[in-house]
Amino acid sequence: AEEKGVGIIGPATVGGIKPGCFRIGNTGGMLDNIVSSKLYRPGSVAYVSKSGGMSNELNNIICHNSDGVCEGVAIGGDRYPGSRFIDHLLRYENNPDVKILVLLGEVGGVDEYDVCDAIADGRLTKPVVAWCIGTCAGCFSYEVQFGHAG
């Protein structure tokens, strides 16, 4: 893919969406969710998520609390991913239509640290909202599987 200049989202992704342009995979859900999340017109928030199901919830949350989604992608939680958080966030950083970056990670991953480094060294300058779900795992007295951590 690198030799051909082609991007790979990931082997276990539900896809991605660029409202008003295209949808690949099942991102955005069924037509009723696409309409209620206003995914038929672009906004200014771009997100990347490990979780496909939670990416649909991100579409909903973003559309009800901002002007909407500019682009969103669920990269999946594979051990050997096609792309990582930082790949998409740097691409969003270079898109003048994107004003806010959103990251949804999961407990157990390390890719979030690359994003922190990019903020610290100035490669990411747009506002970043990040949430790592499953961080409550330490509160359980037994082992809990959260999945998608890579």
Side-chain angles (χ1 to χ4, degrees):
E2 198 170 286
E3 286 178 17
K4 302 277 186 194
V6 176
I8 297 175
I9 298 173
T13 179
V14 298
I17 192 161
K18 187 161 178 62
C21 294
F22 74 93
R23 172 174 89 151
I24 185 169
N26 196 33
T27 296
M30 296 175 62
L31 185 57
D32 61 333
N33 191 62
I34 289 172
V35 171
S36 69
S37 296
K38 301 177 184 144
L39 294 174
Y40 47 83
R41 53 108 177 119
S44 64
V45 180
Y47 71 82
V48 59
S49 169
K50 286 246 178 160
S51 171
M54 287 302 294
S55 68
N56 288 336
E57 184 60 21
L58 280 175
N59 289 324
N60 188 35
I61 291 168
I62 291 169
C63 88
H64 285 98
N65 294 285
S66 71
D67 65 352
V69 173
C70 180
E71 185 177 333
V73 64
I75 59 176
D78 299 294
R79 181 72 179 121
Y80 302 102
S83 60
R84 297 171 57 229
F85 290 134
I86 194 67
D87 301 326
H88 296 283
L89 292 173
L90 290 172
R91 190 168 52 78
Y92 298 155
E93 176 74 23
N94 292 321
N95 182 342
D97 296 329
V98 174
K99 306 301 180 202
I100 299 172
L101 310 173
V102 175
L103 176 149
L104 181 69
E106 293 192 4
V107 65
V110 295
D111 291 342
E112 295 84 355
Y113 292 111
D114 292 334
V115 175
C116 294
D117 291 341
I119 293 168
D121 67 24
R123 288 180 291 150
L124 291 176
T125 60
K126 294 178 180 178
V128 177
V129 177
W131 180 33
C132 293
I133 59 177
T135 53
C136 63
C139 299
F140 293 94
S141 59
Y142 51 88
E143 190 170 322
V144 177
Q145 171 80 33
F146 282 93
H148 295 103

